[in-house]
Amino acid sequence: MLSSPYSLNSVLTPGDLRRVHHIALNVQDMQASRHFYGNILGLHELTGDEVPETLKDLVIQGKVANFITPDGTILDLFWEPELLPPDPNPERTFTRAYHLAFDIDPPSFDRAVEVLRQNQIAIAHGPVNRPTGRGVYFYDPDGFMIEIRCDPI
């Protein structure tokens, strides 16, 4: 038996955390990011009564935009006009987060790659084929790496 400084009542157990609730990203250009996540990636932007009450004033001021993924995860964009640009070398991670991955149905993967190309979104890596599926990596307007991936067929 492993010894632990924590009692069994002071740790989370498998199943306590149910799902990702939201992901918050700082963005330098809110309009470019709203276009990227809403128009290019096709996420639904929350408006009106869909916006959480705690964020309504910030949304009205243009400081926050909220999107929802098909599985219900919220993506919050926080406007930070003084956000430092990413490292000029896109291979270097500039935050503690590495990337945000969206899952897609395997038959739609190639169309997603084509959408990126048609919108002149530079592809950083891929498409790649792995035993776990296919993936393509690219950057949002603030240099945060995004992946679109699918399970193997």
Side-chain angles (χ1 to χ4, degrees), residues 113-128:
V113 172
E114 186 56 31
V115 165
L116 296 174
R117 290 185 175 134
Q118 288 176 4
N119 284 279
Q120 285 104 35
I121 304 297
I123 294 175
H125 306 290
V128 296

Side-chain angles (χ1 to χ4, degrees), residues 7-146:
S7 77
L8 290 178
N9 291 328
S10 67
V11 298
L12 296 176
T13 59
D16 285 345
L17 300 178
R18 300 180 302 174
R19 64 180 177 91
V20 172
H21 180 271
H22 74 275
I23 298 165
L25 299 176
N26 291 327
V27 301
Q28 186 176 44
D29 184 333
M30 181 62 83
Q31 289 309 106
S33 294
R34 287 177 66 213
H35 174 75
F36 178 80
Y37 287 100
N39 296 89
I40 294 174
L41 295 187
L43 298 181
H44 173 71
E45 184 171 1
L46 302 180
T47 60
D49 290 339
E50 297 173 313
V51 176
E53 192 64 39
T54 56
L55 295 176
K56 283 191 183 221
D57 287 341
L58 292 172
V59 169
I60 290 168
Q61 295 169 30
K63 295 180 179 179
V64 171
N66 313 101
F67 292 84
I68 190 164
T69 67
D71 71 353
T73 301
I74 300 294
L75 177 64
D76 294 325
L77 304 180
F78 288 85
W79 181 47
E80 292 290 336
E82 303 302 318
L83 186 67
L84 294 175
D87 192 291
N89 176 354
E91 296 299 315
R92 292 186 186 156
T93 303
F94 70 100
T95 69
R96 291 184 184 197
Y98 181 56
H99 69 269
L100 171 62
F102 293 101
D103 188 60
I104 195 165
D105 188 45
S108 300
F109 180 83
D110 289 331
R111 188 176 64 76
V113 172
E114 186 56 31
V115 165
L116 296 174
R117 290 185 175 134
Q118 288 176 4
N119 284 279
Q120 285 104 35
I121 304 297
I123 294 175
H125 306 290
V128 296
N129 294 305
R130 298 186 179 108
T132 57
R134 299 175 71 197
V136 62
Y137 299 83
F138 51 97
Y139 297 96
D140 79 359
D142 287 287
F144 189 74
M145 187 180 287
I146 307 292

